[in-house]
Amino acid sequence: MKQFTYEPKGRHRRSSLVVATLAVFVAISGSALAATAPVPLGTAKSFVVLAGAGVTNTGKTTLQGDLGTFPITAITGLSTLTQSGTNHAGDAVTQGAKKDLTTAYTTAAGAGPTKAIPVELGGTTLQPGVYSGGALGLTGTLTLDGGNNPDAVFIFKAASTLITASASQVKLVNVNPCNVYWQVTSSATLGTGSHFVGTIMALTDIHLTTGATVSGRVLARNGAVTLQANTISLPVCSQ
């Protein structure tokens, strides 16, 4: 009887151990799979301004990165533009970057799983992940908190426009600005004196009004980029 009673208990303990081990493995694997991957920018990564229908600048603008536009190659206002990168205009480098931008835009558009966000982003604090909304707006401050993960990724998908108000800002807490992406199905407009963070990938136009600054990139697939005494700084990216 003792042997009969003991053996089932032993098997039960061994089974419990296996189940517990599998549960931990599944939990770890699920967590790893849930991590959002950075959007691959390819050769578009070196551009702070990339357009499809030309670039227009008014006032003293500073670009800390490359500039290019294709298939419409017109760039106006270069006399008041200071640039630390290269003006590729519509050359082969720009054409390659435009192809990579299309891939990046499509990748961001298909990223998931998504969390719904309200039209107004101001006054909110968000954790890493993929967010989807309609016409996105920002008045005041949007805080992105990476928690304890310095490699945290944020992807925002706007089904329509992205418009930020004057003096609005994106604030980062333990987040690499290289890992913030904005996929905009229509146009993007940054308000006067606003400070924006991340890579904007718009299907049509991108407008920066007077004094708006960006830590990231403004990349327009098919439309034009309009600048007005702005500063766009290319962050240092590891990926």
Side-chain angles (χ1 to χ4, degrees):
M1 289 294 294
K2 288 183 180 179
Q3 185 177 1
F4 179 80
T5 305
Y6 175 78
E7 285 299 320
K9 286 184 179 178
R11 286 197 297 270
H12 177 70
R13 282 195 293 270
R14 286 193 296 272
S15 299
S16 298
L17 223 64
V18 171
V19 170
T21 303
L22 286 173
V24 171
F25 176 79
V26 170
I28 293 174
S29 299
S31 175
L33 290 173
T36 303
V39 176
L41 295 174
T43 58
K45 185 167 63 173
S46 67
F47 286 78
V48 287
V49 174
L50 186 59
V55 178
T56 299
N57 173 62
T58 303
K60 295 182 178 180
T61 290
T62 300
L63 302 182
Q64 298 176 359
D66 293 346
L67 164 69
T69 176
F70 183 84
I72 297 176
T73 59
I75 301 176
T76 60
L78 284 174
S79 62
T80 56
L81 190 152
T82 301
Q83 186 177 4
S84 59
T86 301
N87 178 5
H88 286 286
D91 67 8
V93 175
T94 293
Q95 294 175 43
K98 285 295 301 298
K99 291 179 180 178
D100 289 345
L101 171 58
T102 298
T103 300
Y105 178 96
T106 303
T107 301
T114 61
K115 306 171 186 176
I117 47 176
V119 171
E120 176 54 55
L121 297 175
T124 61
T125 298
L126 298 177
Q127 307 303 315
V130 182
Y131 295 90
S132 180
L136 298 182
L138 172 57
T139 301
T141 300
L142 166 64
T143 302
L144 304 182
D145 190 345
N148 296 320
N149 181 10
D151 297 320
V153 173
F154 293 79
I155 298 176
F156 295 90
K157 303 193 290 186
S160 182
T161 57
L162 167 67
I163 301 175
T164 71
S166 298
S168 61
Q169 64 172 327
V170 177
K171 179 182 177 182
L172 303 185
V173 179
N174 194 32
V175 176
N176 183 343
C178 297
N179 290 337
V180 181
Y181 307 91
W182 302 81
Q183 181 260 323
V184 183
T185 307
S186 181
S187 63
T189 302
L190 304 185
T192 302
S194 61
H195 177 62
F196 198 78
V197 176
T199 296
I200 300 175
M201 298 174 287
L203 185 62
T204 57
D205 300 333
I206 300 177
H207 306 278
L208 275 64
T209 55
T210 305
T213 64
V214 178
S215 176
R217 307 170 182 83
V218 293
L219 313 176
R221 281 186 60 187
N222 302 322
V225 173
T226 303
L227 307 171
Q228 297 177 357
N230 309 118
T231 297
I232 307 177
S233 306
L234 191 69
V236 178
C237 303
S238 57
Q239 72 271 6

